[in-house]
Amino acid sequence: MNIKKMKRYQGQAIAIVMVILVVATVLGASLYSRMIKNREAIIDTKESARAIEQADTILDTVISSDIFTVQSAIDACLKKPEGCTFNSIVDFKTSFLGLYNIDSTILNEIPDTEWCSNTTTTTDTESSISIIFGYAGLGDGQDWEVGQVMALNLEGVSNVAGCNLTLSFGSSSSEEEVFTIKKVYRDVSGNVKPYVEDDMLMYCLPDDGTCSSVAPTTSVESFTSPNSISIPLYEVKDGYPLYEIRVLPLKGTLRISSQVSGATCAIGKDLNNYKMNSKVNCKGDYREKQVIIPNIHNVGYPTLFDYTIYNATGVLSPN
């Protein structure tokens, strides 16, 4: 064979091998990159699930506890100069749950080493936990459905001078929200003022001047300001002080937020609800959840107790 041709063939073989190696290298790098991305996606999903689970667990610890104990704990905590914020699960356990005798059994379901918390026991500086308590305001609403009642009960509250309750309403459904606001008046002896029509007024959302769900529309009351009303808690009617305010949804899902305030009101915060924020960051996956904790004066009750069964004898009056 011609030596020149043989050398030429050898050169072609080397070129072909080089092309194959380059293609294989590119394919290998692409496959490796894809594997790395899939692994990162799996890790992201895992850490995201951890963040959600831990945020829920923190909230469950408080909302599953006795409401009187929880309210006393939050009140005492909020009076501290540094406020009521905890930046690790260890701090939350010792400085809040343990200090105020709140059961922490739920938290024990997650080992201390598994919490997404940046403490002295871990070198993970990307993860953190923040738990914050505060007072709920007009921007912190809860959803109430037909069959439920949002109620503010003033029993045992002796100093409401200068205090006003502001109720703000929003829509949580695609239909009109129809609801009534009922006032109950009672004296110190427990005698309830006889019911009159003005004690129970009807409202409707959206507040655009029309309400197709109600006839006649003249029976729908107007709001004192856009989608909100203000009620003086020191109101007295026919010699009976205001005892309870009830909001009863009649149609749709109503979002209600409330706030007690006033320039001369000394107990406004004592009647407000509370909010708890649980913020969890697991290796860059951030999740935050919030829950509204009702005041012991604002826990509501089933509407079954707003009805009276009677046999056409005697006088029908508020329960």
Side-chain angles (χ1 to χ4, degrees), residues 284-298:
D285 277 296
Y286 178 84
R287 295 292 182 272
E288 178 179 357
K289 290 197 172 185
Q290 175 178 290
V291 65
I292 303 299
I293 303 172
N295 191 289
I296 57 175
H297 294 281
N298 190 6

Side-chain angles (χ1 to χ4, degrees), residues 5-26:
K5 287 185 177 181
M6 183 178 292
K7 290 183 177 179
R8 187 173 62 213
Y9 291 151
Q10 287 177 345
Q12 290 176 348
I14 293 174
I16 292 172
V17 170
M18 291 298 296
V19 170
I20 293 174
L21 288 175
V22 171
V23 172
T25 302
V26 172

